[in-house]
Amino acid sequence: MDLPVVLDDWDWVEQPISSSINVNAHFLEKPKIPDWDALQQFYPYCPGGKTIFWLCPIDGTDWTLFEVENEQWVLMPMSGFPPRDKLLKGPFTPISEHESNGKKVWVYLARYPLKQLQTSMMLYYSQKVDSFQSIENENDVWIFKEDFGRLIFSEQGEYVILVHVL
């Protein structure tokens, strides 16, 4: 995927956001910290940056840039989303929706510690969870009953990336 102006001048490494998730993101290498002045000059209408994740619609694609750990910045394209009743409910923001291997994949971003996030979600989803698996952390994969798929949690510094596969 072609990166937007300014962002395409920086050095990125494209890699999965987790070893258990088939979703790639761009990890910033150079500069070490985004040049907020350059982004502001080219995209003055885009909110965020420095302390909260940056959101920007550019050439038909919504982009987000956020810091997952000290000086580790991630860039991801966002896409259109299904109707609200099809989205998971919880303290997180949908950032991507696509299809992979014939399955729908929704990616969400949460700025809560993993255990707190899972505890709050369990209040709502406890009756829908069939089983749990542990890949990177304890119970970081939830297998839902019926045709509700699975949910994968991946800690990324201060953030948790959630991937819902249907």
Side-chain angles (χ1 to χ4, degrees):
M1 172 174 271
D2 292 334
L3 297 178
V5 174
V6 175
L7 297 167
D8 64 351
D9 291 337
W10 302 348
D11 292 334
W12 301 91
V13 173
E14 188 174 1
Q15 62 187 36
I17 57 175
S18 168
S19 61
S20 61
I21 300 172
N22 188 23
V23 175
N24 289 336
H26 300 277
F27 289 78
L28 183 61
E29 285 202 326
K30 289 184 184 175
K32 191 73 173 161
I33 297 172
D35 183 343
W36 298 112
D37 292 334
L39 286 175
Q40 179 64 29
Q41 179 183 354
F42 275 85
Y43 308 107
Y45 54 90
C46 295
K50 296 184 185 177
T51 59
I52 61 171
F53 57 89
W54 181 75
L55 296 171
C56 196
I58 304 168
D59 297 328
T61 300
D62 292 328
W63 291 87
T64 182
L65 178 63
F66 57 95
E67 186 178 24
V68 292
E69 293 180 299
N70 289 340
E71 297 184 3
Q72 178 59 72
W73 291 86
V74 174
L75 176 70
M76 291 182 68
M78 300 171 64
S79 61
F81 301 105
R84 281 310 238 181
D85 62 339
K86 299 290 184 190
L87 293 171
L88 287 178
K89 293 173 176 52
F92 40 76
T93 303
I95 59 173
S96 178
E97 182 269 333
H98 66 278
E99 198 164 312
S100 177
N101 298 326
K103 298 198 180 264
K104 290 281 187 185
V105 179
W106 286 274
V107 180
Y108 303 85
L109 177 69
R111 191 170 188 162
Y112 295 93
L114 177 64
K115 291 300 175 196
Q116 283 181 312
L117 177 63
Q118 289 177 324
T119 299
S120 70
M121 290 182 66
M122 188 52 70
L123 295 172
Y124 186 80
Y125 290 104
S126 63
Q127 298 299 313
K128 296 179 183 189
V129 175
D130 185 44
S131 63
F132 301 96
Q133 295 179 356
S134 300
I135 296 175
E136 294 176 354
N137 291 297
E138 183 180 356
N139 296 336
D140 60 354
V141 178
W142 294 7
I143 308 299
F144 291 108
K145 296 176 184 175
E146 301 164 4
D147 293 331
F148 203 56
R150 63 190 162 107
L151 180 63
I152 303 158
F153 297 84
S154 178
E155 282 187 295
Q156 301 290 319
E158 293 181 14
Y159 295 89
V160 175
I161 305 284
L162 297 89
V163 178
H164 186 205
V165 180
L166 286 170

